[in-house]
Structures are given as structure tokens and as C-alpha cells.
Amino acid sequence: MRDTMVTERTLKYGKYALATAILSWSINSDLIDAFAPRQCTSRLLRIPSQNLLQMTATLKEGSSASSSNNEKARELGTQPVVVSAAAEALSHSETTMKLVPSFDLFQLLDEAEGGHVPPLAAGNAMRDGTALKVGIPDTLGEMKLTDYKGLGGDMKIEDLPDPFKMVEKELQPFSDSIKELVSTDQPILSMAAKHFFEKRHGKRFRPTIVQLMAKTVAACPPEKKQGDEWEWSGASDIDLEGGIVTSENHQGSEVWRKQAQLGQIVEMIHVASLIHDDVLDEADTRRGGEAVHKLYSNKVAVLAGDYLLARASVLLARLENTAVVQIMATALESLVAGEIMQLKASPEELLQMESYLRKSYYKTASLICYACRSTALLGGHAYGSTVATACEEFGFHMGLAFQIQDDILDFTAAADILGKPALADMNLGLSTAPILYAAQEFAHLRPLVKRRFKEKGDKQTALEALYKSKTAMDKAKRLAGFHAQRAVDALLRLPQSEARDALLRLTYVVITRKK
């Protein structure tokens, strides 16, 4: 019995400890010289260090929209903090990256719904749509998803390259390779850790994105540095002829190998989070089969997830790019932040669309967008470059579109199609985009959302209101469409290539899928 009664407190706050310790070692190792200049500008040094994951709505000083944004900040209230600002400041040096959450770089909501454009910062400043395409034609330069069948138009998305077929051969040995990477001498732990990499490997959505992004950035010439600030560091040294990666020399190179390994690392982190989440949520199924903790026990499942995170951390350090380690460590920390935000959200925050989107960023989009920017860095592009910025922005919006569509399917698809329990979020007391839009229309739903559907009949009442609503589901679909189109817009700043166009098609697939 004790085997199956691991406390939620222990799981929520202890599950990433081992991986975080290994990542901290990596960041503080001698690899620091691999990417960063020794001096940082006085402008950056005068700005107090801010917690990477401080979940507040406080906006940067000097913003032209500071008054309205500050009102938004007060309305949202202060979110939970994973690491204090003081502790975060102590961990920084002149050479470490001054990262901020992607939702402070890119837009969460359309202006029509109260969203605002974030102010310029190191991570979003380079967004010129023509800088990389001078004299280079682009047949999809004005692409709108609404021009395609299924989204309001009559164009065929099948005219674009199939994203999964493009990397199918590269990902075929993926499961065998990743199983070898997570092998251990302990049979039970080894079987549990390999569970998701056997038959039920899922869509391989994240590794597919990384592989396609690697090919996309290989077709982008690196930009010249704009000075000696940290944002123009982070690019891996390229040991190829001419010192740059091209579409011709990329396949089979050391750069290609490291980017492929990053895809494996991302999948390992993702699977570890699924194993832990299933324990916390007491889920019975995952990917059409039994959850790991149902096959073994809570204790084995937690240890298997920890082990995957530890292995991912070691493999991450072996990419030999400290900037990438810092970025992906932040993604790992974001998973914890999302869990805490989900657990500790106040009743008022449970009703706020922006709070829901921030939680979705931490739990889903952060891993995707940081993996995309890291892929660019491994390909020889600096952190603040147009290429790396477009990669993170694409991943940010793609990740949110994916999660919103997932939340829509939670109400429209059967459990046997999803491969996991339907209405899972409502059963956990959580409200997603469809319910939040329904609550905007029907005032009687708001108390139910604020008390997390705890009283008898709450869930049934909410479902009846959702299916009665003429706008809620359509608004949720438009929100997914907004983020999908922003993902497309980010990609269109990069030169046209087969891989880029395959990512464009993948964006369409994300918001039209049925499972």
C-alpha cells in the first residue's frame, strides 16, 4: 500500500530535483567559455536580474503601453514563483543568458480579446521579414491558413511537403536508439523507462519538429554579430568546410547528429513529464495503453520519470553548448512552474484566459519553443539572430495552438480515439478555453469554474452550457487559429525550403487533427 501512496507534495516538488542538480552542474562547468563573451554591456548589467520563471504580469519598464499593461498586471495578480528573484540574481554572472518567458516576448491573445504586443527585448528584437530573403523568391510568402480546405478556403494543404514522411527514415531508428540511451542495469526501472519508446511511441510530434527545424535553419545563412552582448552569443562552433552549415553539408554532419540528439532529449523530457503527470492525475491510460504507474506502481513510475530526466540532463550537457543547456534547463523548470501554477491558481485566475494560456505555455509550449531556438543555436545561429528568434516564436505559437486544439478535442473526441481519458481536465477541476469562453457567455458557470467543479452536478451543468453555447467552441477554434497563423508568420521570415514548407503544413495539421 505504501508503494502506491506517494504524496502529491513529494511528487510535485521533488520529481525534478535530480535532473535540476545535473543541469546546474552543467551550467556552471568550464563549458561557459564555449558560447559567451567575457563582457556584458552596462545596459544589461544595470537591469536587476529577474527570475526566469517569475510568473507575474509585471511588464518591462519603458513600454509605450505601460499604463494599460500595468492595469493588466494588477488584474492578473501575482503568480506563484518557482525560484525567488534574489536566488535567481545570485545564479547569474556576466556571461549567463538573461532569459525571459516567451509570453513576455510574443503575443498571447489577439488585441480584440485584450491582448497586447510585448515590448522589444533581446529575444524578440530581430523580426525583420525581409532580412534573410533579399533576392530570394518565396511562393508561400503571403500564406494564410484560412485559404486552405477545412479552414475556410479551397487550397490543398497536400501540395506542401508531408512533414512526417520527410523525416520518416531519420526517425525510424529513433525508438531503438532512445531505448539504448535510457538502458539501466535495474530491470524494472529499465522496462518502465522504456515503456513509451516501445510500441506506444505516440506521434513523435516534438522530434519531428526538431528534425524539420534543423533542416530549415541549415538553409539559413548565419547573420553577422551586432556587437558583443550576450544575445549575440550561443552559436555552436561549426567544424565544417567554410565554417557554416548549409543544406548540402548538413545531413550526416556532427551538427546534424547533435540536433537529432536534442530531439531525443526533448522526447525524453516530455515522456518523463507524462509519467509524472499520470501519477499526479491518477490517470489509468496513456497513448492507448495502461499508464506506467498502473503497470508497476507509483514509486516505480516516479523513479522512471526521474531517471529519464537525469539521462536527458546528461545527454544535454554532452551537446557541448552551454547556451543550449541554459535554455533547455529553463524549459525543464517551466514544467514545474506549470504544475505549481495549475495547483495554486486562485479562483479569480481560474477564470482568466491569459492565466490559462500562461499555464499552457509552461506545461506544453515552453519545451517546444526552447527546443526550436536551441536547434538554431546548434546550427551556428546566435541567440538574438533573426533565425533563432523566428524559431522560438514559431515554437511558442505552435505549442499553444497544439494545446488549445487538445483542449477542444477533450470535449469533442471519444476516449478511445484520444488514447487517454476524455474530459480529463474537468475531472481535475481545470477549465480550458472552451469552458472559459462558455463562462464569458453564461454567468452561472463562473462560480463553478472558481470552485473547480467540486460540487455535485457542476461538471454536468458546465457541459450543458458549453454544448448550448453558439460561440464558445468557435472562439476556442479561432484562438487556436490565431496562434497557428502566428506560427506560420514566424516561419515565413525564413528562406523557403522543403523543410520550412513541411513545418507550415504541420501547423495546419495541428489545428485540424481529430486526435
Side-chain angles (χ1 to χ4, degrees):
M1 179 66 71
R2 290 182 61 189
D3 229 23
T4 58
M5 294 184 66
V6 180
T7 65
E8 285 196 5
R9 182 180 297 274
T10 301
L11 293 173
K12 286 181 183 294
Y13 297 104
K15 65 183 182 178
Y16 296 105
L18 182 56
T20 303
I22 294 171
L23 285 166
S24 297
W25 166 82
S26 303
I27 291 172
N28 290 308
S29 71
D30 291 337
L31 293 174
I32 197 77
D33 293 326
F35 81 94
R38 299 305 301 171
Q39 298 297 325
C40 192
T41 65
S42 59
R43 177 179 65 82
L44 284 173
L45 290 173
R46 281 198 295 267
I47 298 175
S49 295
Q50 190 172 10
N51 175 18
L52 299 184
L53 292 172
Q54 186 174 2
M55 291 190 285
T56 68
T58 305
L59 300 172
K60 299 172 181 63
E61 293 181 3
S63 167
S64 58
S66 59
S67 60
S68 61
N69 288 347
N70 286 336
E71 287 178 13
K72 174 72 72 176
R74 284 193 293 271
E75 179 185 331
L76 282 170
T78 301
Q79 303 286 354
V81 175
V82 176
V83 180
S84 71
E88 193 61 40
L90 286 173
S91 70
H92 275 296
S93 70
E94 292 182 358
T95 56
T96 51
M97 308 194 88
K98 315 303 189 288
L99 301 176
V100 294
S102 303
F103 56 68
D104 277 343
L105 299 176
F106 312 115
Q107 197 166 344
L108 272 176
L109 276 170
D110 194 344
E111 287 93 335
E113 290 197 56
H116 64 273
V117 178
L120 292 181
N124 67 1
M126 302 296 288
R127 299 164 81 190
D128 187 339
T130 62
L132 301 172
K133 300 166 70 173
V134 176
I136 303 174
D138 189 342
T139 60
L140 297 171
E142 302 297 326
M143 178 180 178
K144 300 294 180 188
L145 289 172
T146 50
D147 291 336
Y148 288 84
K149 286 183 178 179
L151 294 175
D154 55 10
M155 295 178 67
K156 295 180 179 179
I157 199 67
E158 292 79 12
D159 292 337
L160 301 184
D162 186 312
F164 297 103
K165 286 186 178 179
M166 180 171 288
V167 296
E168 185 177 24
K169 289 183 179 179
E170 295 173 43
L171 291 181
Q172 269 180 352
F174 181 87
S175 291
D176 288 339
S177 175
I178 205 166
K179 280 187 290 184
E180 291 176 11
L181 289 172
V182 302
S183 290
T184 171
D185 293 333
Q186 301 298 321
I188 296 295
L189 181 58
S190 187
M191 285 189 290
K194 292 178 181 179
H195 176 68
F196 282 129
F197 306 118
E198 301 279 356
K199 295 178 181 178
R200 283 180 285 276
H201 50 65
K203 297 176 281 291
R204 290 174 179 162
F205 175 67
R206 290 157 187 81
T208 297
I209 288 178
V210 172
Q211 288 290 98
L212 289 171
M213 189 59 76
K215 295 176 182 295
T216 298
V217 300
C220 303
E223 299 149 81
K224 292 182 179 179
K225 292 186 178 181
Q226 305 293 309
D228 61 352
E229 296 181 351
W230 65 264
E231 58 261 37
W232 283 95
S233 63
S236 289
D237 291 330
I238 304 301
D239 188 18
L240 291 170
E241 187 177 349
I244 62 172
V245 183
T246 66
S247 297
E248 290 72 30
N249 66 16
H250 178 243
Q251 187 79 24
S253 67
E254 181 68 4
V255 171
W256 175 83
R257 185 194 68 79
K258 288 185 175 182
Q259 289 169 326
Q261 186 161 306
L262 176 64
Q264 293 175 323
I265 290 165
V266 169
E267 187 69 359
M268 289 164 69
I269 293 173
H270 172 60
V271 167
S273 72
L274 296 183
I275 293 172
H276 284 147
D277 285 352
D278 286 345
V279 175
L280 293 176
D281 301 342
E282 299 179 356
D284 292 334
T285 59
R286 173 68 69 173
R287 292 181 174 177
E290 278 193 284
V292 171
H293 72 99
K294 299 298 290 185
L295 284 171
Y296 302 98
S297 66
N298 280 0
K299 184 180 290 185
V300 170
V302 171
L303 288 174
D306 285 346
Y307 175 67
L308 283 175
L309 290 170
R311 285 297 295 157
S313 302
V314 172
L315 295 171
L316 185 56
R318 289 175 184 166
L319 295 178
E320 298 181 294
N321 184 314
T322 312
V324 171
V325 173
Q326 290 187 73
I327 292 168
M328 294 306 298
T330 303
L332 185 56
E333 193 177 20
S334 294
L335 297 177
V336 185
E339 287 292 339
I340 295 172
M341 191 174 185
Q342 183 169 293
L343 177 69
K344 297 294 185 180
S346 68
E348 291 72 25
E349 287 164 348
L350 290 172
L351 277 170
Q352 293 163 351
M353 187 64 68
E354 192 161 339
S355 180
Y356 154 73
L357 289 172
R358 288 183 182 219
K359 182 202 72 175
S360 299
Y361 159 75
Y362 281 119
K363 294 198 66 175
T364 303
S366 62
L367 183 58
I368 297 172
C369 69
Y370 283 139
C372 286
R373 195 182 286 258
S374 295
T375 303
L377 268 60
L378 291 173
H381 299 276
Y383 173 85
S385 64
T386 304
V387 173
T389 300
C391 289
E392 181 174 338
E393 186 169 2
F394 163 77
F396 172 77
H397 290 296
M398 169 68 103
L400 288 177
F402 182 92
Q403 185 58 56
I404 295 163
Q405 183 67 15
D406 239 23
D407 294 338
I408 292 170
L409 291 174
D410 200 35
F411 293 99
T412 60
D416 59 340
I417 295 175
L418 289 175
K420 56 187 178 181
L423 302 180
D425 289 313
M426 282 191 73
N427 290 331
L428 294 171
L430 304 174
S431 297
T432 55
I435 290 292
L436 291 176
Y437 281 122
Q440 291 177 6
E441 185 177 353
F442 300 110
H444 72 278
L445 287 188
R446 294 166 199 168
L448 282 62
V449 171
K450 292 169 77 172
R451 64 177 179 247
R452 296 177 181 259
F453 311 109
K454 286 183 177 178
E455 294 186 9
K456 186 177 180 180
D458 279 357
K459 283 183 281 188
Q460 185 62 34
T461 301
L463 285 173
E464 289 173 357
L466 174 62
Y467 296 132
K468 179 181 177 183
S469 171
K470 297 179 180 179
T471 62
M473 202 62 81
D474 287 340
K475 285 183 175 180
K477 290 176 181 178
R478 282 199 296 272
L479 181 60
F482 166 78
H483 283 289
Q485 184 59 49
R486 287 301 179 95
V488 165
D489 295 343
L491 282 177
L492 292 177
R493 298 203 295 271
L494 303 178
Q496 187 168 24
S497 65
E498 256 200 309
R500 189 210 67 170
D501 292 353
L503 283 171
L504 292 173
R505 179 170 171 177
L506 184 60
T507 309
Y508 169 93
V509 170
V510 160
I511 60 168
T512 56
R513 63 195 170 95
K514 303 302 180 186
K515 62 177 182 179

